Amino acid sequence: LKSPDRGTPAATGEHARIRRILNRLPPAPAALVVGPGDDAAVWEAPRGTLQVLTTDALVEGVHFDRRLTSPADIGYRALAVNISDVAAMGGAPHLALLSLALPDGITSEVLDGLVDGLLDMAAEANVSLAGGNITHTPGPLLLDVTVVGSVKPRKVLRRAGAQPGDFIYVTGALGAAAAGLGWLRDAPEGDIPSAEPADAEMAACVARYRRPSPRTRIGTLLGRSRVASACMDLSDGLGDAVRQVSEASGTGAWLDAAALPIPGGARRWFASRGEDPLEAASVSDDYELLFTVPRRRLGRLRHVAREARGVPLTRIGEVTKGRSIEIRDGERRLPLPSGYEHFRKP
Amino acid sequence: LKSPDRGTPAATGEHARIRRILNRLPPAPAALVVGPGDDAAVWEAPRGTLQVLTTDALVEGVHFDRRLTSPADIGYRALAVNISDVAAMGGAPHLALLSLALPDGITSEVLDGLVDGLLDMAAEANVSLAGGNITHTPGPLLLDVTVVGSVKPRKVLRRAGAQPGDFIYVTGALGAAAAGLGWLRDAPEGDIPSAEPADAEMAACVARYRRPSPRTRIGTLLGRSRVASACMDLSDGLGDAVRQVSEASGTGAWLDAAALPIPGGARRWFASRGEDPLEAASVSDDYELLFTVPRRRLGRLRHVAREARGVPLTRIGEVTKGRSIEIRDGERRLPLPSGYEHFRKP
């Protein structure tokens, strides 16, 4: 956070905003040689590592709706989605840069919320906010986050590398985020961003939507142990991930509908709305990892599963030679749902 | 550029847009272990270096006006302003990530222009586009660029470090960008983004506004030679830079009005508009470097000047003990103009 707002006459107000953010930061680690407040951050990467770099933006009205999601949850998510990308490469996240475009009418309270939510995620993932910038915008609120991580050479997880016969796994649960967002969209007027469903399983889905858990621990375990032949995060849903991994690897895939770890709360929610759970779960942005495992590595996978601290690893299908991608639902063969909208205006 | 547009139903269109960008990229260097197209980029930093990291966004209607600036010049600038920040730390830039928020109506031609301009700057600075993302936005066009560079330990240039008695220098020329933008704002209707002033000196100012030259070579020379006690780029103008360096260093400064390297074309432009050249030049975003030099290092500075390939290094003032900042114009003592708008709607 190096400079005042560029582009508004109220530069002093923006100076104050940056000070406000800087005051909220925990002490920087020694590896951050120059932290926020200079022209750029300077960082010493862990010895013998490669750097992992990713950037992703959240735009109001496209990726989130402030009527449904609190500023803190928006800030949390903006960092989580990027950490998830680092995890999907087998990397450990270290630093974040935050680029904020603020429309008129963003109060100090909203700004504090955005930053505090981002810092919550940063603390959970042991990430330091190393810099960024604030600008005014005549358009919607936009948070663009860059995350820098590290990975050991030859421990990098790519999308390409799946081989026919490899098993396909996912971490955690599928469809929870979509069900949680659905519940928020249908929630009665009031303070929706902090509303809680009475049903505990539904509440878990809402929590999942509000604060996705990037799978950094499992990502690094998969990379280090060389268990996975390919890996990708589910930022655009299961359908998109299976398609991308297949395309990058030059393979096809089938998935077992009955094996998909769709939680009961999500299943019931989709059913109550007349939605096909399979389809709804396939386009849910759960930020889980999809990965493929050669059969000879299943022994090592058990080690990873034991270290996964309760996050389930579920076998959901198999990589195939052909280029087709299908779901097997008993005797039925269904095409995999594709297409995805992060956010549809309610 | 790892993923389709998130947030529009026209995902296939966005897939095509990403392919379109990827097709324009030159071959990646070997250090880019994983380039665009995966969850994140993976990069091997030069051995024995620290990583320099910065991000800055350009927003339509705030930092640029598409009626005045071509897509290629917008793309060029979006990367140049970030490279300038790396240069101001004494770093060499290596990689860029591009986060694009595209409103409706951005044609392939405009997208190609943005990317080609960015790649022009990338080629000049030996930078590789390593990744990024594209999203739809209901708001203005926004380009957020992250640049990653490297610097040797103990060769880092900070804003803090200036000592009373140090001389203050700037690279290149001051005020050219502001004069160039002024000319474009007053240009007659027609194809303003490619219009050329008849006056050669004015044309140089317009060129300077359109394609700022980040001072990477001089930045790394200043860092390596340990000539500069403090350094910052003029992204928000001379006045802001002097103030920031003084604040970070706990010093004051005086500048010699007669010494400011304001080119003749810019002086004449400001005069013709009834603007004070001093004031106009102080708030011009020229992306030059401001740096301070202890007197005992003046010998080494001459070496740097010889290696600067024709970019002038001009002494413009001195660091002082007090905390005041003033301009000396003959016998007059003026406060330094502050405040800055990158872009004011014409």
Side-chain angles (χ1 to χ4, degrees), chain A residues 236-241 243 255 260 276-283 325-327 334-340:
Chain A
D236 289 305
L238 176 68
D240 176 72
R243 210 163 264 110
L255 302 182
L260 298 186
D276 177 9
L278 210 66
E279 190 152 342
S282 295
V283 297
I325 296 174
E326 60 178 29
I327 298 198
L334 312 168
L336 189 67
S338 71
Y340 184 71

mmCIF file with all atom_site columns, all heavy atoms in Angstrom, chain A residues 236-241 243 255 260 276-283 325-327 334-340:
data_model
loop_
_atom_site.group_PDB
_atom_site.id
_atom_site.type_symbol
_atom_site.label_atom_id
_atom_site.label_alt_id
_atom_site.label_comp_id
_atom_site.label_asym_id
_atom_site.label_entity_id
_atom_site.label_seq_id
_atom_site.pdbx_PDB_ins_code
_atom_site.Cartn_x
_atom_site.Cartn_y
_atom_site.Cartn_z
_atom_site.occupancy
_atom_site.B_iso_or_equiv
_atom_site.pdbx_formal_charge
_atom_site.auth_seq_id
_atom_site.auth_comp_id
_atom_site.auth_asym_id
_atom_site.auth_atom_id
_atom_site.pdbx_PDB_model_num
ATOM 1   N N   . ASP A 1 236 ? -14.044 -22.663 -10.601 1.00 0.00 ? 236 ASP A N   1
ATOM 2   C CA  . ASP A 1 236 ? -15.174 -22.515 -11.506 1.00 0.00 ? 236 ASP A CA  1
ATOM 3   C C   . ASP A 1 236 ? -16.037 -23.768 -11.523 1.00 0.00 ? 236 ASP A C   1
ATOM 4   O O   . ASP A 1 236 ? -16.746 -24.016 -12.488 1.00 0.00 ? 236 ASP A O   1
ATOM 5   C CB  . ASP A 1 236 ? -14.686 -22.151 -12.912 1.00 0.00 ? 236 ASP A CB  1
ATOM 6   C CG  . ASP A 1 236 ? -14.150 -20.728 -12.956 1.00 0.00 ? 236 ASP A CG  1
ATOM 7   O OD1 . ASP A 1 236 ? -14.896 -19.813 -12.570 1.00 0.00 ? 236 ASP A OD1 1
ATOM 8   O OD2 . ASP A 1 236 ? -12.991 -20.535 -13.340 1.00 0.00 ? 236 ASP A OD2 1
ATOM 9   N N   . GLY A 1 237 ? -15.959 -24.550 -10.462 1.00 0.00 ? 237 GLY A N   1
ATOM 10  C CA  . GLY A 1 237 ? -16.820 -25.715 -10.347 1.00 0.00 ? 237 GLY A CA  1
ATOM 11  C C   . GLY A 1 237 ? -16.164 -26.993 -10.825 1.00 0.00 ? 237 GLY A C   1
ATOM 12  O O   . GLY A 1 237 ? -15.154 -26.982 -11.533 1.00 0.00 ? 237 GLY A O   1
ATOM 13  N N   . LEU A 1 238 ? -16.762 -28.100 -10.420 1.00 0.00 ? 238 LEU A N   1
ATOM 14  C CA  . LEU A 1 238 ? -16.243 -29.422 -10.758 1.00 0.00 ? 238 LEU A CA  1
ATOM 15  C C   . LEU A 1 238 ? -16.203 -29.659 -12.266 1.00 0.00 ? 238 LEU A C   1
ATOM 16  O O   . LEU A 1 238 ? -15.215 -30.178 -12.796 1.00 0.00 ? 238 LEU A O   1
ATOM 17  C CB  . LEU A 1 238 ? -17.126 -30.488 -10.086 1.00 0.00 ? 238 LEU A CB  1
ATOM 18  C CG  . LEU A 1 238 ? -16.793 -31.946 -10.403 1.00 0.00 ? 238 LEU A CG  1
ATOM 19  C CD1 . LEU A 1 238 ? -15.453 -32.337 -9.791  1.00 0.00 ? 238 LEU A CD1 1
ATOM 20  C CD2 . LEU A 1 238 ? -17.910 -32.871 -9.912  1.00 0.00 ? 238 LEU A CD2 1
ATOM 21  N N   . GLY A 1 239 ? -17.289 -29.282 -12.935 1.00 0.00 ? 239 GLY A N   1
ATOM 22  C CA  . GLY A 1 239 ? -17.381 -29.543 -14.374 1.00 0.00 ? 239 GLY A CA  1
ATOM 23  C C   . GLY A 1 239 ? -16.239 -28.874 -15.121 1.00 0.00 ? 239 GLY A C   1
ATOM 24  O O   . GLY A 1 239 ? -15.558 -29.499 -15.946 1.00 0.00 ? 239 GLY A O   1
ATOM 25  N N   . ASP A 1 240 ? -16.019 -27.621 -14.813 1.00 0.00 ? 240 ASP A N   1
ATOM 26  C CA  . ASP A 1 240 ? -14.933 -26.883 -15.458 1.00 0.00 ? 240 ASP A CA  1
ATOM 27  C C   . ASP A 1 240 ? -13.576 -27.520 -15.139 1.00 0.00 ? 240 ASP A C   1
ATOM 28  O O   . ASP A 1 240 ? -12.733 -27.671 -16.024 1.00 0.00 ? 240 ASP A O   1
ATOM 29  C CB  . ASP A 1 240 ? -14.954 -25.432 -14.975 1.00 0.00 ? 240 ASP A CB  1
ATOM 30  C CG  . ASP A 1 240 ? -13.802 -24.616 -15.531 1.00 0.00 ? 240 ASP A CG  1
ATOM 31  O OD1 . ASP A 1 240 ? -13.834 -24.317 -16.733 1.00 0.00 ? 240 ASP A OD1 1
ATOM 32  O OD2 . ASP A 1 240 ? -12.874 -24.297 -14.767 1.00 0.00 ? 240 ASP A OD2 1
ATOM 33  N N   . ALA A 1 241 ? -13.362 -27.925 -13.898 1.00 0.00 ? 241 ALA A N   1
ATOM 34  C CA  . ALA A 1 241 ? -12.055 -28.477 -13.502 1.00 0.00 ? 241 ALA A CA  1
ATOM 35  C C   . ALA A 1 241 ? -11.777 -29.795 -14.224 1.00 0.00 ? 241 ALA A C   1
ATOM 36  O O   . ALA A 1 241 ? -10.665 -30.020 -14.722 1.00 0.00 ? 241 ALA A O   1
ATOM 37  C CB  . ALA A 1 241 ? -12.006 -28.669 -11.986 1.00 0.00 ? 241 ALA A CB  1
ATOM 38  N N   . ARG A 1 243 ? -12.954 -30.748 -17.017 1.00 0.00 ? 243 ARG A N   1
ATOM 39  C CA  . ARG A 1 243 ? -12.733 -30.423 -18.423 1.00 0.00 ? 243 ARG A CA  1
ATOM 40  C C   . ARG A 1 243 ? -11.324 -29.847 -18.639 1.00 0.00 ? 243 ARG A C   1
ATOM 41  O O   . ARG A 1 243 ? -10.633 -30.208 -19.592 1.00 0.00 ? 243 ARG A O   1
ATOM 42  C CB  . ARG A 1 243 ? -13.810 -29.422 -18.865 1.00 0.00 ? 243 ARG A CB  1
ATOM 43  C CG  . ARG A 1 243 ? -14.165 -29.526 -20.316 1.00 0.00 ? 243 ARG A CG  1
ATOM 44  C CD  . ARG A 1 243 ? -15.489 -28.828 -20.640 1.00 0.00 ? 243 ARG A CD  1
ATOM 45  N NE  . ARG A 1 243 ? -16.597 -29.748 -20.651 1.00 0.00 ? 243 ARG A NE  1
ATOM 46  C CZ  . ARG A 1 243 ? -17.576 -29.799 -19.753 1.00 0.00 ? 243 ARG A CZ  1
ATOM 47  N NH1 . ARG A 1 243 ? -17.592 -28.953 -18.742 1.00 0.00 ? 243 ARG A NH1 1
ATOM 48  N NH2 . ARG A 1 243 ? -18.527 -30.694 -19.855 1.00 0.00 ? 243 ARG A NH2 1
ATOM 49  N N   . LEU A 1 255 ? -17.089 -39.767 -14.205 1.00 0.00 ? 255 LEU A N   1
ATOM 50  C CA  . LEU A 1 255 ? -17.309 -39.524 -12.781 1.00 0.00 ? 255 LEU A CA  1
ATOM 51  C C   . LEU A 1 255 ? -18.485 -40.386 -12.330 1.00 0.00 ? 255 LEU A C   1
ATOM 52  O O   . LEU A 1 255 ? -19.433 -40.598 -13.089 1.00 0.00 ? 255 LEU A O   1
ATOM 53  C CB  . LEU A 1 255 ? -17.646 -38.048 -12.521 1.00 0.00 ? 255 LEU A CB  1
ATOM 54  C CG  . LEU A 1 255 ? -16.626 -37.000 -12.966 1.00 0.00 ? 255 LEU A CG  1
ATOM 55  C CD1 . LEU A 1 255 ? -17.115 -35.601 -12.582 1.00 0.00 ? 255 LEU A CD1 1
ATOM 56  C CD2 . LEU A 1 255 ? -15.259 -37.263 -12.363 1.00 0.00 ? 255 LEU A CD2 1
ATOM 57  N N   . LEU A 1 260 ? -20.038 -38.543 -5.606  1.00 0.00 ? 260 LEU A N   1
ATOM 58  C CA  . LEU A 1 260 ? -19.765 -37.113 -5.383  1.00 0.00 ? 260 LEU A CA  1
ATOM 59  C C   . LEU A 1 260 ? -20.124 -36.725 -3.951  1.00 0.00 ? 260 LEU A C   1
ATOM 60  O O   . LEU A 1 260 ? -21.253 -36.964 -3.506  1.00 0.00 ? 260 LEU A O   1
ATOM 61  C CB  . LEU A 1 260 ? -20.551 -36.244 -6.372  1.00 0.00 ? 260 LEU A CB  1
ATOM 62  C CG  . LEU A 1 260 ? -20.239 -36.452 -7.857  1.00 0.00 ? 260 LEU A CG  1
ATOM 63  C CD1 . LEU A 1 260 ? -20.994 -35.430 -8.711  1.00 0.00 ? 260 LEU A CD1 1
ATOM 64  C CD2 . LEU A 1 260 ? -18.743 -36.367 -8.134  1.00 0.00 ? 260 LEU A CD2 1
ATOM 65  N N   . ASP A 1 276 ? -31.332 -30.072 -9.908  1.00 0.00 ? 276 ASP A N   1
ATOM 66  C CA  . ASP A 1 276 ? -30.628 -31.348 -9.912  1.00 0.00 ? 276 ASP A CA  1
ATOM 67  C C   . ASP A 1 276 ? -29.345 -31.194 -9.074  1.00 0.00 ? 276 ASP A C   1
ATOM 68  O O   . ASP A 1 276 ? -28.492 -30.373 -9.411  1.00 0.00 ? 276 ASP A O   1
ATOM 69  C CB  . ASP A 1 276 ? -30.285 -31.704 -11.360 1.00 0.00 ? 276 ASP A CB  1
ATOM 70  C CG  . ASP A 1 276 ? -29.477 -32.991 -11.441 1.00 0.00 ? 276 ASP A CG  1
ATOM 71  O OD1 . ASP A 1 276 ? -29.346 -33.683 -10.405 1.00 0.00 ? 276 ASP A OD1 1
ATOM 72  O OD2 . ASP A 1 276 ? -28.978 -33.290 -12.538 1.00 0.00 ? 276 ASP A OD2 1
ATOM 73  N N   . PRO A 1 277 ? -29.207 -31.963 -7.989  1.00 0.00 ? 277 PRO A N   1
ATOM 74  C CA  . PRO A 1 277 ? -28.020 -31.811 -7.129  1.00 0.00 ? 277 PRO A CA  1
ATOM 75  C C   . PRO A 1 277 ? -26.718 -31.991 -7.906  1.00 0.00 ? 277 PRO A C   1
ATOM 76  O O   . PRO A 1 277 ? -25.726 -31.304 -7.637  1.00 0.00 ? 277 PRO A O   1
ATOM 77  C CB  . PRO A 1 277 ? -28.171 -32.932 -6.094  1.00 0.00 ? 277 PRO A CB  1
ATOM 78  C CG  . PRO A 1 277 ? -29.600 -33.328 -6.125  1.00 0.00 ? 277 PRO A CG  1
ATOM 79  C CD  . PRO A 1 277 ? -30.108 -33.015 -7.501  1.00 0.00 ? 277 PRO A CD  1
ATOM 80  N N   . LEU A 1 278 ? -26.736 -32.900 -8.872  1.00 0.00 ? 278 LEU A N   1
ATOM 81  C CA  . LEU A 1 278 ? -25.557 -33.176 -9.677  1.00 0.00 ? 278 LEU A CA  1
ATOM 82  C C   . LEU A 1 278 ? -25.138 -31.940 -10.447 1.00 0.00 ? 278 LEU A C   1
ATOM 83  O O   . LEU A 1 278 ? -23.966 -31.546 -10.463 1.00 0.00 ? 278 LEU A O   1
ATOM 84  C CB  . LEU A 1 278 ? -25.929 -34.285 -10.660 1.00 0.00 ? 278 LEU A CB  1
ATOM 85  C CG  . LEU A 1 278 ? -24.828 -35.201 -11.099 1.00 0.00 ? 278 LEU A CG  1
ATOM 86  C CD1 . LEU A 1 278 ? -24.338 -36.008 -9.911  1.00 0.00 ? 278 LEU A CD1 1
ATOM 87  C CD2 . LEU A 1 278 ? -25.362 -36.134 -12.187 1.00 0.00 ? 278 LEU A CD2 1
ATOM 88  N N   . GLU A 1 279 ? -26.123 -31.335 -11.073 1.00 0.00 ? 279 GLU A N   1
ATOM 89  C CA  . GLU A 1 279 ? -25.844 -30.162 -11.887 1.00 0.00 ? 279 GLU A CA  1
ATOM 90  C C   . GLU A 1 279 ? -25.429 -28.988 -11.002 1.00 0.00 ? 279 GLU A C   1
ATOM 91  O O   . GLU A 1 279 ? -24.454 -28.292 -11.283 1.00 0.00 ? 279 GLU A O   1
ATOM 92  C CB  . GLU A 1 279 ? -27.091 -29.811 -12.705 1.00 0.00 ? 279 GLU A CB  1
ATOM 93  C CG  . GLU A 1 279 ? -26.836 -28.767 -13.754 1.00 0.00 ? 279 GLU A CG  1
ATOM 94  C CD  . GLU A 1 279 ? -27.789 -28.926 -14.942 1.00 0.00 ? 279 GLU A CD  1
ATOM 95  O OE1 . GLU A 1 279 ? -28.393 -30.006 -15.104 1.00 0.00 ? 279 GLU A OE1 1
ATOM 96  O OE2 . GLU A 1 279 ? -27.921 -27.953 -15.692 1.00 0.00 ? 279 GLU A OE2 1
ATOM 97  N N   . ALA A 1 280 ? -26.170 -28.790 -9.926  1.00 0.00 ? 280 ALA A N   1
ATOM 98  C CA  . ALA A 1 280 ? -25.877 -27.666 -9.028  1.00 0.00 ? 280 ALA A CA  1
ATOM 99  C C   . ALA A 1 280 ? -24.486 -27.814 -8.410  1.00 0.00 ? 280 ALA A C   1
ATOM 100 O O   . ALA A 1 280 ? -23.726 -26.847 -8.319  1.00 0.00 ? 280 ALA A O   1
ATOM 101 C CB  . ALA A 1 280 ? -26.939 -27.585 -7.934  1.00 0.00 ? 280 ALA A CB  1
ATOM 102 N N   . ALA A 1 281 ? -24.127 -29.039 -8.017  1.00 0.00 ? 281 ALA A N   1
ATOM 103 C CA  . ALA A 1 281 ? -22.822 -29.249 -7.384  1.00 0.00 ? 281 ALA A CA  1
ATOM 104 C C   . ALA A 1 281 ? -21.688 -29.104 -8.395  1.00 0.00 ? 281 ALA A C   1
ATOM 105 O O   . ALA A 1 281 ? -20.566 -28.740 -8.036  1.00 0.00 ? 281 ALA A O   1
ATOM 106 C CB  . ALA A 1 281 ? -22.770 -30.627 -6.722  1.00 0.00 ? 281 ALA A CB  1
ATOM 107 N N   . SER A 1 282 ? -21.982 -29.388 -9.669  1.00 0.00 ? 282 SER A N   1
ATOM 108 C CA  . SER A 1 282 ? -20.936 -29.328 -10.695 1.00 0.00 ? 282 SER A CA  1
ATOM 109 C C   . SER A 1 282 ? -20.510 -27.909 -11.011 1.00 0.00 ? 282 SER A C   1
ATOM 110 O O   . SER A 1 282 ? -19.441 -27.687 -11.563 1.00 0.00 ? 282 SER A O   1
ATOM 111 C CB  . SER A 1 282 ? -21.417 -29.978 -11.989 1.00 0.00 ? 282 SER A CB  1
ATOM 112 O OG  . SER A 1 282 ? -21.639 -31.341 -11.784 1.00 0.00 ? 282 SER A OG  1
ATOM 113 N N   . VAL A 1 283 ? -21.380 -26.948 -10.702 1.00 0.00 ? 283 VAL A N   1
ATOM 114 C CA  . VAL A 1 283 ? -21.045 -25.572 -11.039 1.00 0.00 ? 283 VAL A CA  1
ATOM 115 C C   . VAL A 1 283 ? -20.852 -24.726 -9.777  1.00 0.00 ? 283 VAL A C   1
ATOM 116 O O   . VAL A 1 283 ? -20.840 -23.507 -9.828  1.00 0.00 ? 283 VAL A O   1
ATOM 117 C CB  . VAL A 1 283 ? -22.117 -24.933 -11.957 1.00 0.00 ? 283 VAL A CB  1
ATOM 118 C CG1 . VAL A 1 283 ? -22.184 -25.682 -13.276 1.00 0.00 ? 283 VAL A CG1 1
ATOM 119 C CG2 . VAL A 1 283 ? -23.481 -24.907 -11.289 1.00 0.00 ? 283 VAL A CG2 1
ATOM 120 N N   . ILE A 1 325 ? -16.152 -36.840 -21.670 1.00 0.00 ? 325 ILE A N   1
ATOM 121 C CA  . ILE A 1 325 ? -16.272 -36.615 -20.231 1.00 0.00 ? 325 ILE A CA  1
ATOM 122 C C   . ILE A 1 325 ? -17.727 -36.871 -19.872 1.00 0.00 ? 325 ILE A C   1
ATOM 123 O O   . ILE A 1 325 ? -18.626 -36.250 -20.431 1.00 0.00 ? 325 ILE A O   1
ATOM 124 C CB  . ILE A 1 325 ? -15.891 -35.170 -19.876 1.00 0.00 ? 325 ILE A CB  1
ATOM 125 C CG1 . ILE A 1 325 ? -14.416 -34.946 -20.220 1.00 0.00 ? 325 ILE A CG1 1
ATOM 126 C CG2 . ILE A 1 325 ? -16.155 -34.883 -18.410 1.00 0.00 ? 325 ILE A CG2 1
ATOM 127 C CD1 . ILE A 1 325 ? -13.957 -33.533 -20.058 1.00 0.00 ? 325 ILE A CD1 1
ATOM 128 N N   . GLU A 1 326 ? -17.950 -37.832 -18.980 1.00 0.00 ? 326 GLU A N   1
ATOM 129 C CA  . GLU A 1 326 ? -19.333 -38.144 -18.663 1.00 0.00 ? 326 GLU A CA  1
ATOM 130 C C   . GLU A 1 326 ? -19.498 -38.494 -17.195 1.00 0.00 ? 326 GLU A C   1
ATOM 131 O O   . GLU A 1 326 ? -18.540 -38.824 -16.494 1.00 0.00 ? 326 GLU A O   1
ATOM 132 C CB  . GLU A 1 326 ? -19.851 -39.286 -19.543 1.00 0.00 ? 326 GLU A CB  1
ATOM 133 C CG  . GLU A 1 326 ? -19.063 -40.567 -19.368 1.00 0.00 ? 326 GLU A CG  1
ATOM 134 C CD  . GLU A 1 326 ? -19.614 -41.726 -20.206 1.00 0.00 ? 326 GLU A CD  1
ATOM 135 O OE1 . GLU A 1 326 ? -20.203 -41.469 -21.267 1.00 0.00 ? 326 GLU A OE1 1
ATOM 136 O OE2 . GLU A 1 326 ? -19.440 -42.889 -19.767 1.00 0.00 ? 326 GLU A OE2 1
ATOM 137 N N   . ILE A 1 327 ? -20.746 -38.400 -16.753 1.00 0.00 ? 327 ILE A N   1
ATOM 138 C CA  . ILE A 1 327 ? -21.088 -38.812 -15.396 1.00 0.00 ? 327 ILE A CA  1
ATOM 139 C C   . ILE A 1 327 ? -21.887 -40.104 -15.505 1.00 0.00 ? 327 ILE A C   1
ATOM 140 O O   . ILE A 1 327 ? -22.788 -40.209 -16.342 1.00 0.00 ? 327 ILE A O   1
ATOM 141 C CB  . ILE A 1 327 ? -21.935 -37.744 -14.692 1.00 0.00 ? 327 ILE A CB  1
ATOM 142 C CG1 . ILE A 1 327 ? -21.138 -36.436 -14.571 1.00 0.00 ? 327 ILE A CG1 1
ATOM 143 C CG2 . ILE A 1 327 ? -22.348 -38.213 -13.312 1.00 0.00 ? 327 ILE A CG2 1
ATOM 144 C CD1 . ILE A 1 327 ? -21.683 -35.480 -13.551 1.00 0.00 ? 327 ILE A CD1 1
ATOM 145 N N   . LEU A 1 334 ? -24.487 -39.421 -18.398 1.00 0.00 ? 334 LEU A N   1
ATOM 146 C CA  . LEU A 1 334 ? -24.870 -38.019 -18.577 1.00 0.00 ? 334 LEU A CA  1
ATOM 147 C C   . LEU A 1 334 ? -23.654 -37.205 -18.981 1.00 0.00 ? 334 LEU A C   1
ATOM 148 O O   . LEU A 1 334 ? -22.541 -37.478 -18.531 1.00 0.00 ? 334 LEU A O   1
ATOM 149 C CB  . LEU A 1 334 ? -25.407 -37.448 -17.262 1.00 0.00 ? 334 LEU A CB  1
ATOM 150 C CG  . LEU A 1 334 ? -26.452 -38.278 -16.522 1.00 0.00 ? 334 LEU A CG  1
ATOM 151 C CD1 . LEU A 1 334 ? -26.656 -37.735 -15.120 1.00 0.00 ? 334 LEU A CD1 1
ATOM 152 C CD2 . LEU A 1 334 ? -27.755 -38.252 -17.307 1.00 0.00 ? 334 LEU A CD2 1
ATOM 153 N N   . PRO A 1 335 ? -23.864 -36.206 -19.827 1.00 0.00 ? 335 PRO A N   1
ATOM 154 C CA  . PRO A 1 335 ? -22.745 -35.282 -20.070 1.00 0.00 ? 335 PRO A CA  1
ATOM 155 C C   . PRO A 1 335 ? -22.513 -34.445 -18.809 1.00 0.00 ? 335 PRO A C   1
ATOM 156 O O   . PRO A 1 335 ? -23.429 -34.237 -18.015 1.00 0.00 ? 335 PRO A O   1
ATOM 157 C CB  . PRO A 1 335 ? -23.236 -34.417 -21.227 1.00 0.00 ? 335 PRO A CB  1
ATOM 158 C CG  . PRO A 1 335 ? -24.728 -34.456 -21.127 1.00 0.00 ? 335 PRO A CG  1
ATOM 159 C CD  . PRO A 1 335 ? -25.083 -35.798 -20.528 1.00 0.00 ? 335 PRO A CD  1
ATOM 160 N N   . LEU A 1 336 ? -21.287 -33.991 -18.619 1.00 0.00 ? 336 LEU A N   1
ATOM 161 C CA  . LEU A 1 336 ? -20.966 -33.210 -17.421 1.00 0.00 ? 336 LEU A CA  1
ATOM 162 C C   . LEU A 1 336 ? -21.460 -31.770 -17.584 1.00 0.00 ? 336 LEU A C   1
ATOM 163 O O   . LEU A 1 336 ? -21.147 -31.117 -18.567 1.00 0.00 ? 336 LEU A O   1
ATOM 164 C CB  . LEU A 1 336 ? -19.448 -33.209 -17.222 1.00 0.00 ? 336 LEU A CB  1
ATOM 165 C CG  . LEU A 1 336 ? -18.941 -32.636 -15.914 1.00 0.00 ? 336 LEU A CG  1
ATOM 166 C CD1 . LEU A 1 336 ? -19.356 -33.506 -14.749 1.00 0.00 ? 336 LEU A CD1 1
ATOM 167 C CD2 . LEU A 1 336 ? -17.432 -32.513 -15.965 1.00 0.00 ? 336 LEU A CD2 1
ATOM 168 N N   . PRO A 1 337 ? -22.232 -31.294 -16.612 1.00 0.00 ? 337 PRO A N   1
ATOM 169 C CA  . PRO A 1 337 ? -22.689 -29.903 -16.732 1.00 0.00 ? 337 PRO A CA  1
ATOM 170 C C   . PRO A 1 337 ? -21.504 -28.942 -16.786 1.00 0.00 ? 337 PRO A C   1
ATOM 171 O O   . PRO A 1 337 ? -20.512 -29.138 -16.089 1.00 0.00 ? 337 PRO A O   1
ATOM 172 C CB  . PRO A 1 337 ? -23.496 -29.679 -15.445 1.00 0.00 ? 337 PRO A CB  1
ATOM 173 C CG  . PRO A 1 337 ? -23.821 -31.040 -14.938 1.00 0.00 ? 337 PRO A CG  1
ATOM 174 C CD  . PRO A 1 337 ? -22.718 -31.934 -15.396 1.00 0.00 ? 337 PRO A CD  1
ATOM 175 N N   . SER A 1 338 ? -21.625 -27.947 -17.613 1.00 0.00 ? 338 SER A N   1
ATOM 176 C CA  . SER A 1 338 ? -20.538 -26.968 -17.704 1.00 0.00 ? 338 SER A CA  1
ATOM 177 C C   . SER A 1 338 ? -21.116 -25.581 -17.529 1.00 0.00 ? 338 SER A C   1
ATOM 178 O O   . SER A 1 338 ? -22.274 -25.410 -17.219 1.00 0.00 ? 338 SER A O   1
ATOM 179 C CB  . SER A 1 338 ? -19.843 -27.078 -19.043 1.00 0.00 ? 338 SER A CB  1
ATOM 180 O OG  . SER A 1 338 ? -20.692 -26.594 -20.048 1.00 0.00 ? 338 SER A OG  1
ATOM 181 N N   . GLY A 1 339 ? -20.314 -24.605 -17.753 1.00 0.00 ? 339 GLY A N   1
ATOM 182 C CA  . GLY A 1 339 ? -20.810 -23.228 -17.651 1.00 0.00 ? 339 GLY A CA  1
ATOM 183 C C   . GLY A 1 339 ? -20.881 -22.855 -16.196 1.00 0.00 ? 339 GLY A C   1
ATOM 184 O O   . GLY A 1 339 ? -21.105 -23.689 -15.332 1.00 0.00 ? 339 GLY A O   1
ATOM 185 N N   . TYR A 1 340 ? -20.658 -21.614 -15.938 1.00 0.00 ? 340 TYR A N   1
ATOM 186 C CA  . TYR A 1 340 ? -20.639 -21.216 -14.558 1.00 0.00 ? 340 TYR A CA  1
ATOM 187 C C   . TYR A 1 340 ? -20.822 -19.723 -14.442 1.00 0.00 ? 340 TYR A C   1
ATOM 188 O O   . TYR A 1 340 ? -20.262 -18.948 -15.182 1.00 0.00 ? 340 TYR A O   1
ATOM 189 C CB  . TYR A 1 340 ? -19.313 -21.583 -13.897 1.00 0.00 ? 340 TYR A CB  1
ATOM 190 C CG  . TYR A 1 340 ? -19.354 -21.242 -12.458 1.00 0.00 ? 340 TYR A CG  1
ATOM 191 C CD1 . TYR A 1 340 ? -20.134 -21.991 -11.604 1.00 0.00 ? 340 TYR A CD1 1
ATOM 192 C CD2 . TYR A 1 340 ? -18.716 -20.114 -11.979 1.00 0.00 ? 340 TYR A CD2 1
ATOM 193 C CE1 . TYR A 1 340 ? -20.246 -21.648 -10.284 1.00 0.00 ? 340 TYR A CE1 1
ATOM 194 C CE2 . TYR A 1 340 ? -18.828 -19.772 -10.659 1.00 0.00 ? 340 TYR A CE2 1
ATOM 195 C CZ  . TYR A 1 340 ? -19.589 -20.535 -9.820  1.00 0.00 ? 340 TYR A CZ  1
ATOM 196 O OH  . TYR A 1 340 ? -19.705 -20.182 -8.521  1.00 0.00 ? 340 TYR A OH  1
#
